[in-house]
Amino acid sequence: MVIRLAKERALYYSLAASQFGTRTEVDNGTLQRVRDFKPLRADDPAFRLTSSGVAVEVWEETPISFRYPVRNDQGELILKDTTWEVQPGDALRSVWRRATAAERAWVESSRRAFLPTDFTFFGETMYAHILIHFDDLLALFRQLLYHIPDSYLGTKLRIRGRWTVVPGRLDDIKQMRELLRGARAALHQQGVPFPNRKAMVSEATVRVADRLESKGTVPLLLSAKAIERALGTDSPSVLAQSLFESDSRLAEEQLRQGEIVMRTIDNAWYVVRMIHEIETGVKAAFDGLSDLVNRITDGVHAGQLASACDSLWTRLVRVCPFDPYRAAIFSARGRGIYRAAANLRKGNFSTANNNVRQTIGAIRKLVSGEGPTPGQMTRTRKRAQRAYPGQEIEPPPPEDE
């Protein structure tokens, strides 16, 4: 049985490797290197990596059938058949994600079916190299500049006229570290019997333990183990050392998550640059179309005008590899410039003029711009910098008296 994967699912990177090529004709949509474009060849690759490496273009419908490991209802390790499909104009992103338990068991078994390059270890954690699918370039931009940073930094929402703050993962770690700092301060209070100090410490550490439950990263797992040792000891020195180790692991995780946010924002910058260059290219083509209308009205040099239409059509195709830009170009109205070339060669100047005007109408919204506005990147980066200050690891605690 073959099932169709939902669009949010992903493909193992190596399975798409044979479909890859490099865009040598154009760099992220600029018109500066597209003067002598040739029509798309039949042997062009289906996937092409942009020069920034953040996004992958899709140039033709591509179905890939493959198997991936899962556990069935009986807990047995099996391979499930599926088909992964993309359409021209989609945006793909290459990422490393943590391998599932089934993937790890399959890779480590003698029945391994995937190339070793699909999986690697970062520390003690196995990761899988995958391609994630997005319907268009703006969806990728929103994930990189909004969804991922907000999940770490938190979100401020206006609900029924009132602002509500939804904490992020970094806020959660910050609160746990504050609880541990309070516990360490209580532990080192002078003149208070140890049983009383331990009771105050236990109250805070239990709250931290509850927050750490089901957390999966290595630093958080080690922090949880240190909390278990703290709750199970009657030794002041072991308790102090365990609290310190738990806090240090949380600081490590805070640093790791902060780096993820900053790296994500850097990748968002590349996407913003691509969007800007695409819109710049479309604007240049838009100006060329407007000039073409005036030249067609004169009704002379049909051959030259047809060649100009072909050139502009090729430029628009090349500089708009991603939706929503590509969708506008390949719509019925957007392909007007393509039909205009044929009508000009037949001497149908009036029809060709209407064809060009249709393309102008189709891409007008792209010229006005639907992408990111100035300042969005700066605001998100400042939020990340405020939430992710440079941190120093504290020295180990002194031995308790």
Side-chain angles (χ1 to χ4, degrees):
M1 174 176 137
V2 176
I3 62 172
R4 189 175 303 282
L5 276 181
K7 286 216 168 183
E8 62 268 22
R9 292 199 61 123
L11 175 74
Y12 293 114
Y13 191 89
S14 68
L15 295 176
S18 61
Q19 307 283 340
F20 265 91
T22 303
R23 292 198 73 189
T24 56
E25 303 96 336
V26 62
D27 180 15
N28 287 341
T30 59
L31 276 176
Q32 298 174 3
R33 295 169 58 190
V34 300
R35 302 300 181 191
D36 301 315
F37 266 159
K38 299 177 181 178
L40 291 176
R41 301 184 305 276
D43 60 346
D44 274 353
F47 300 154
R48 291 201 259 191
L49 187 66
T50 57
S51 64
S52 66
V54 175
V56 175
E57 303 167 359
V58 181
W59 283 83
E60 65 181 46
E61 183 178 345
T62 308
I64 299 177
S65 296
F66 68 102
R67 292 179 166 186
Y68 65 100
V70 294
R71 296 278 185 184
N72 62 16
D73 294 338
Q74 291 73 41
E76 298 172 331
L77 191 63
I78 63 171
L79 286 179
K80 197 167 187 177
D81 295 319
T82 189
T83 298
W84 192 83
E85 284 194 1
V86 290
Q87 301 292 331
D90 293 346
L92 309 179
R93 183 181 172 221
S94 166
V95 300
W96 288 93
R97 65 143 169 82
R98 279 191 297 168
T100 64
E103 285 173 336
R104 180 161 184 159
W106 188 266
V107 170
E108 292 175 346
S109 74
S110 59
R111 298 173 293 171
R112 182 172 62 195
F114 302 116
L115 296 176
T117 52
D118 273 329
F119 299 92
T120 191
F121 279 91
F122 292 99
E124 299 179 1
T125 307
M126 178 182 284
Y127 284 79
H129 197 189
I130 61 172
L131 282 176
I132 300 177
H133 172 272
F134 296 88
D135 287 330
D136 57 49
L137 191 61
L138 297 184
L140 173 58
F141 162 75
R142 288 191 296 270
Q143 191 206 45
L144 293 176
L145 194 60
Y146 297 132
H147 303 325
I148 293 179
D150 285 353
S151 70
Y152 289 96
L153 304 176
T155 310
K156 190 175 182 181
L157 303 174
R158 188 176 180 86
I159 302 175
R160 295 181 179 178
R162 299 181 62 181
W163 286 103
T164 301
V165 177
V166 180
R169 299 181 193 178
L170 283 167
D171 295 314
D172 193 37
I173 293 178
K174 182 180 178 181
Q175 291 169 5
M176 287 190 287
R177 296 195 67 194
E178 289 174 351
L179 286 170
L180 288 179
R181 275 194 287 269
R184 294 171 67 185
L187 180 62
H188 294 291
Q189 283 184 356
Q190 299 296 322
V192 179
F194 177 69
N196 294 345
R197 285 182 283 160
K198 184 182 178 184
M200 290 186 288
V201 169
S202 296
E203 182 181 353
T205 51
V206 166
R207 294 173 63 187
V208 174
D210 290 340
R211 286 172 175 261
L212 285 173
E213 188 176 2
S214 76
K215 303 292 186 182
T217 66
V218 172
L220 293 181
L221 289 173
L222 294 175
S223 179
K225 289 181 179 179
I227 289 292
E228 290 178 8
R229 288 196 300 272
L231 291 172
T233 185
D234 289 325
S235 168
S237 60
V238 173
L239 182 55
Q241 191 64 37
S242 298
L243 292 177
F244 166 74
E245 182 178 347
S246 181
D247 186 46
S248 298
R249 295 300 184 180
L250 288 176
E252 181 183 344
E253 177 68 10
Q254 192 173 18
L255 186 66
R256 187 189 74 85
Q257 292 188 7
E259 289 172 347
I260 290 174
V261 174
M262 300 306 292
R263 188 165 59 248
T264 300
I265 296 173
D266 288 340
N267 286 334
W269 180 83
Y270 286 113
V271 176
V272 169
R273 190 177 70 175
M274 278 193 288
I275 292 172
H276 172 72
E277 290 173 342
I278 288 172
E279 291 179 348
T280 300
V282 174
K283 175 63 167 61
F286 185 86
D287 293 342
L289 289 169
S290 301
D291 178 65
L292 195 58
V293 169
N294 295 328
R295 293 169 60 191
I296 291 176
T297 302
D298 294 338
V300 294
H301 306 300
Q304 294 180 7
L305 293 175
S307 296
C309 287
D310 286 335
S311 177
L312 283 171
W313 165 249
T314 305
R315 288 185 179 187
L316 285 170
V317 171
R318 291 291 189 176
V319 302
C320 298
F322 299 108
D323 285 341
Y325 311 99
R326 190 184 192 280
I329 301 303
F330 279 85
S331 66
R333 291 173 59 83
R335 290 196 301 269
I337 184 68
Y338 180 77
R339 296 191 295 271
N343 281 312
L344 283 168
R345 291 188 175 96
K346 296 175 182 178
N348 299 331
F349 287 90
S350 177
T351 304
N353 198 318
N354 289 333
N355 293 151
V356 175
R357 290 179 183 275
Q358 287 176 341
T359 300
I360 289 176
I363 69 173
R364 187 181 298 276
K365 64 178 182 179
L366 304 183
V367 176
S368 61
E370 293 185 337
T373 59
Q376 286 178 319
M377 181 72 65
T378 300
R379 288 192 294 272
T380 302
R381 191 180 295 277
K382 286 182 177 179
R383 284 181 60 211
Q385 290 169 343
R386 287 196 298 269
Y388 171 53
Q391 298 190 35
E392 297 180 0
I393 301 298
E394 296 182 49
E399 293 294 328
D400 203 324
E401 297 293 338

